[in-house]
Amino acid sequence: MFVRLLAATAVSLVIAVLIYFSPSIISHFPVPMVINLVNKEHPTNEVYYPMKITFRQSGGYAGLRLGYEVETASLPAEEVTKLESLVQQSGILQTGNTTNTTPAARDLLQYQITVETQGISHQVSFDDLSILPGMEPLLDYLQNHARAV
């Protein structure tokens, strides 16, 4: 009986710490979280897996390097829904780690997109001539948010 009470107290303490430090701690866990603990704008009955998305663009004639990094736990609900839809549509989570570039084309823009979710990292690299099917809407979104790095 005492052991159960002690275990229940420990679990309550862990939950209280997580709530106090959210989203900085919660966004690093690869398990589903109640969205309300991560971002107050989300309805409390939804569950999702936080994602971290990293985008890098380089090359081209000018050699400009652009980048964008975002964690979905820090975004408003509408933006999370849009970004998750674009990631699903791109197929990056099903593709796995792939590199698809054109070796002879030196002045093309090179892209690298990494999506981390549930403790797994999915990375794709491609250029303007080898854009993967379904990737263009996500690429457009990321390019619109990217800044010089």
Side-chain angles (χ1 to χ4, degrees):
M1 184 69 170
F2 178 72
V3 173
R4 286 185 186 171
L5 179 62
L6 185 61
T9 304
V11 168
S12 297
L13 181 61
V14 168
I15 290 172
V17 168
L18 288 175
I19 291 171
Y20 179 77
F21 288 108
S22 70
S24 62
I25 289 179
I26 291 178
S27 64
H28 297 289
F29 284 97
V31 294
M33 293 287 170
V34 177
I35 290 177
N36 195 38
L37 296 178
V38 177
N39 190 328
K40 301 293 188 225
E41 295 180 24
H42 291 276
T44 58
N45 60 347
E46 291 185 32
V47 176
Y48 86 115
Y49 292 96
M51 286 190 295
K52 178 180 178 183
I53 300 170
T54 306
F55 170 69
R56 296 289 180 259
Q57 174 184 311
S58 61
Y61 294 113
L64 181 66
R65 294 179 170 269
L66 298 177
Y68 178 63
E69 189 171 297
V70 65
E71 295 192 27
T72 56
S74 66
L75 297 175
E78 306 82 40
E79 202 68 18
V80 170
T81 303
K82 178 179 181 178
L83 193 50
E84 285 179 343
S85 173
L86 292 172
V87 168
Q88 290 298 327
Q89 179 185 350
S90 75
I92 192 171
L93 300 178
Q94 293 76 29
T95 304
N97 296 337
T98 59
T99 300
N100 191 18
T101 57
T102 311
R106 298 174 196 253
D107 290 327
L108 294 176
L109 290 173
Q110 306 286 322
Y111 308 101
Q112 182 180 42
I113 301 172
T114 306
V115 177
E116 298 173 43
T117 185
Q118 301 179 44
I120 301 171
S121 180
H122 308 270
Q123 182 176 325
V124 295
S125 299
F126 54 94
D127 58 37
D128 283 331
L129 290 180
S130 60
I131 295 177
L132 303 169
M135 190 68 67
E136 286 187 38
L138 177 61
L139 181 60
D140 289 342
Y141 176 91
L142 295 171
Q143 284 177 317
N144 288 334
H145 289 82
R147 301 290 176 252
V149 290

